[in-house]
Amino acid sequence: MLFCIIFITVTTEGERAQRERLRDLAVFERLNGDPRKTSSALAVKKFCRTISLKYAQASDVRPLSVLEDTLNYLLNLLDSSEHPFEVVHDFIFDRTRSIRQDLSMQNIVNDRAIHMYEKMVKFHVVSHHRLRNCGSSTISSLKFLNMEQLTKTLASLYILYEANHSSNSIHENEAEFRSLYVLLHLDSKSQQTESLSFWFCRVPSLVMKSKEMHFARQVLRFYRMGNYRSFLYTVSAQASYLQYCIIEPYVNEVRALAISYINNCCYKLHPYPLEQLSKLLMMKESDVESFCHACGLETLTDGGGNKSLPTKQTTFSIPKGSFQSYSLLALQQEERQIAI
Amino acid sequence: MAYPSMGEAHRRTTDYLNKFSDAVSYQDVASLAHLFSFSFSFSFSSNSPSLLSVADALNFFQDSNRLIKQSDKFSQFGEILAPLFRSLQCYRLGNLVDAYHAFEKFANVFIQEFRNWESAWALEALYVIAYEIRVLAERSPEKLKGAGSFLTKVFGVLAGKGQKRVGALYVTCQLFKIYFKLGTVNLCRSVIRSIETACIFYFEEFPRRDKVTCMYYTGRLEVFNENFPAADHKLSYALTHCNPLREANIRMILKYLIPVKLSLGILPKVWLLEKYSLLEYSNVIQALKRGDLRLLRHALQEHEDQFLRSGVYLVLEKLELQVYQRLVKKIYFIQKQEDPSKAHQLKLEVIVKALKWLEMEVDLDEVECIMTILIYENLVKGYFAHKSKVVVLSKQDPFPELNGKPVNSWRLTL
């Protein structure tokens, strides 16, 4: 990676010197791995909670083009496999927050700001997805904080969209980013925020009519109705990568409920074939078996090796921790490189 | 704009000042309130152009402060009158933001005086102030948030013990209107918490009009949160206690009560929809009666914008399960007529055919899924035999009525 002169203003000299002295340098900022040394090319301005507009100097705040380049530099670090994802995430989390701080202090609300916010939302969405698969003990607080910033960044993005609306048109990517809000609030009962019903009142009509919003609303309808079949089918057929990152936690929840329904409603003398279940739940048959066991249910194997789920079992329960991740069949599940 | 002569302007202003001080001295709240009822006096339908003419006089005269200071009778109210005059002048000139600012200043001083008055004689005047604050802020929307904060302060002055407390509900209603307009309905929660104790202990003391308005807004909040039994209770209260002559208000209540009732399995009569121009619901109701899923979807699409804007769309969408129940019930009745002994066995194929006839393409898996949901939600009593692809209905009461209880949305009970 070539660092150009632009990066000289990524941090101020003062901040750099202080952080060198205090050894407050992230792994990505260390010169040759030395925790006491950084360079103007590597050091990125940290988020400062107590910053006050009154005392901020013009030289402390980075101009838009520097912020853009800094953001691109940070997001490229997402590909790095040298360090565990939590470490990468934590660094980018903080430094992008500082970027947002600089943007809002300068009251930049144009198209370029929109693109930056969209990229930052994407970062938080992808993190939301990837953090789920990390094993460390600090994960739940990282996940919580990430969700917090995701919602804040998304809210700011919507304000930017609205500020930039010209007559009767919406922004290029607005439909997809608005749809994320719906998907984040599928389970509205658990939210303290306003209900979706109220949110829908104020969404521009063009957004409501978009393909992405239509998808999100369908998914919402299926989820609320408990229609596991259509939920899983529609998600696997139509979700974009970003949308899937948000929906993923609900997928296993819906599968569990499907099994609960089937266990509850089906004829006792007709155990439900796992082959059919695997089709319904869009999971590999072997995964279905372990999933049933995780839900406290036994499975049967007959003479011919065919597996089934006996129904009317009374031991169904949701496992205490979260479910292990099972891929959603028919969905291209490779970690796509998002064009950032 | 009428330009009075100097003498005329002088006369009108003095006249106003006299009215004000007399109203306070004699505790004549009606006359007092009239003196700052901007929206009423300035509307075309008003028969009393006096405020208009006073405003013109002030704008022409430009030296009202001297007049106020001239006599003790007026100068004691100097701090109240100066901003009031300023507001009146700005309002007349169409300068609404400044009119709001000045009015809020006036209101602030007035509240201090109101606090000092032992009795609640000026409560009606305070209502007018609260109303005007809201209406003025609505016309210069960046002031709405400020109006909300101000009215919260007024609420604080009124709440508590004493005769003045009956005014608290009126101010609450103004706050509801502001928060709904602002889109910050989550702030209603804190208002409701503040008024809740009062409502428990002396709800009956409040004027009927305020109780109806309060129940309407809190009922609407329950609709947003899909607490249907609570929404039913509150909106029904509003309906039964609403003045029957106020048809526009009844219509507003029904607009939200109807979807709630539908969710509880209660269908209104068509004449109600006709009488209050709520025909957007007629196809929804037909769909529920007929088990016609296609009609429900069509009705939702046809009035989508309207339903989304009023916030009832998601509620109506949820009626789908009840429509399915009705459809399956009809199939059952038809089968019963043809062959009573086999009626309780519903082949999935038959349901697929029925849906196809409604121009809805669904496969067996989908129908099986729907049937398991219906059974789980107790809309259908029975079980499902996967191998034979048949739903076996219970011989007794296979289609339980909702009976005022909403369909339970499934949630994992942990």
Side-chain angles (χ1 to χ4, degrees), chain A residues 325-337:
Chain A
S325 204
Y326 301 98
S327 63
L328 189 63
L329 292 180
L331 177 76
Q332 262 105 60
Q333 254 290 272
E334 335 89 45
E335 294 282 291
R336 297 181 203 158
Q337 293 299 323

Side-chain angles (χ1 to χ4, degrees), chain A residues 291-308:
Chain A
F291 190 75
C292 289
H293 296 159
C295 290
L297 297 179
E298 289 174 0
T299 52
L300 278 180
T301 314
D302 70 10
N306 299 311
K307 298 192 196 245
S308 62

Side-chain angles (χ1 to χ4, degrees), chain B residues 31 34 58 115-116 141 146-147 167-168 201 211 238 248 283-284 295 306 342:
Chain B
S31 307
H34 187 73
L58 289 169
R115 257 192 158 133
N116 298 332
F201 287 108
K211 285 190 286 201
N283 277 342
V284 174
L295 186 59
Q306 196 175 15
K342 290 257 183 60

Side-chain angles (χ1 to χ4, degrees), chain A residues 36-66:
Chain A
R36 295 162 304 174
K37 279 260 163 273
T38 183
S39 72
S40 57
L42 288 171
V44 183
K45 186 175 170 200
K46 266 184 106 166
F47 172 69
C48 180
R49 197 174 296 277
T50 55
I51 213 164
S52 91
L53 275 173
K54 232 182 4 174
Y55 299 113
Q57 300 179 331
S59 59
D60 289 343
V61 178
R62 296 162 287 179
L64 182 55
S65 50
V66 172

Side-chain angles (χ1 to χ4, degrees), chain B residues 37-277:
Chain B
S37 253
F38 287 9
S39 0
F40 179 71
S41 289
F42 279 73
S43 66
F44 291 134
S45 56
S46 165
N47 287 324
S48 39
S50 53
L51 267 188
L52 252 165
S53 58
V54 174
D56 285 336
L58 289 169
N59 277 325
F60 184 76
F61 191 46
Q62 291 291 337
D63 199 8
S64 49
N65 276 321
R66 190 169 59 81
L67 255 184
I68 295 174
K69 292 199 182 106
Q70 248 176 17
S71 135
D72 282 340
K73 188 182 182 194
F74 308 149
S75 61
Q76 59 174 316
F77 302 118
E79 278 185 35
I80 298 181
L81 289 166
L84 178 55
F85 277 171
R86 209 165 43 246
S87 180
L88 190 49
Q89 287 172 258
C90 292
Y91 192 88
R92 182 67 175 113
L93 293 171
N95 189 345
L96 295 175
V97 176
D98 288 341
Y100 173 84
H101 275 301
F103 197 93
E104 206 195 276
K105 245 197 170 122
F106 146 71
N108 246 322
V109 187
F110 186 91
I111 305 275
Q112 302 312 319
E113 277 304 307
F114 179 86
R115 257 192 158 133
N116 298 332
W117 292 326
E118 273 288 326
S119 78
W121 72 266
L123 204 54
E124 290 287 333
L126 201 68
Y127 290 164
V128 170
I129 288 179
Y131 176 84
E132 292 294 333
I133 285 272
R134 173 177 68 86
V135 171
L136 270 169
E138 277 175 7
R139 295 181 62 182
S140 33
E142 67 265 36
K143 296 291 147 214
L144 263 178
K145 228 179 171 178
S149 316
F150 179 78
L151 285 179
T152 312
K153 206 167 43 165
V154 176
F155 179 90
V157 168
L158 291 173
K161 293 199 167 79
Q163 295 175 312
K164 296 175 185 170
R165 68 187 185 181
V166 294
L169 200 60
Y170 182 84
V171 177
T172 306
C173 293
Q174 299 306 308
L175 275 167
F176 282 148
K177 293 187 190 195
I178 288 181
Y179 292 145
F180 269 74
K181 201 132 203 164
L182 268 175
T184 51
V185 286
N186 49 311
L187 289 177
C188 290
R189 243 177 261 135
S190 53
V191 178
I192 292 171
R193 251 183 275 130
S194 313
I195 199 81
E196 223 157 37
T197 333
C199 283
I200 295 173
F201 287 108
Y202 52 91
F203 191 63
E204 293 312 311
E205 276 180 37
F206 293 122
R208 186 169 87 157
R209 161 202 69 181
D210 297 341
K211 285 190 286 201
V212 169
T213 310
C214 180
M215 286 300 209
Y216 167 74
Y217 280 106
T218 49
R220 275 185 66 181
L221 285 173
E222 302 286 10
V223 176
F224 280 139
N225 294 324
E226 296 191 2
N227 295 329
F228 295 131
D232 184 20
H233 168 74
K234 293 182 175 157
L235 291 171
S236 297
Y237 180 100
L239 186 67
T240 43
H241 292 80
C242 183
N243 184 340
L245 295 174
R246 295 223 180 265
E247 294 204 354
N249 289 352
I250 294 186
R251 181 175 187 276
M252 279 165 71
I253 298 170
L254 282 173
K255 196 157 82 143
Y256 293 95
L257 186 55
I258 289 175
V260 170
K261 289 288 194 191
L262 293 178
S263 303
L264 298 171
I266 300 165
L267 273 49
K269 301 272 191 288
V270 179
W271 67 258
L272 190 71
L273 303 180
E274 284 167 354
K275 179 165 185 194
Y276 294 102
S277 314

Side-chain angles (χ1 to χ4, degrees), chain B residues 366-379:
Chain B
E366 173 86 11
V367 173
E368 182 189 292
C369 174
I370 304 281
M371 289 314 299
T372 46
I373 301 172
L374 289 176
I375 296 170
Y376 193 88
E377 300 282 9
N378 210 35
L379 286 168

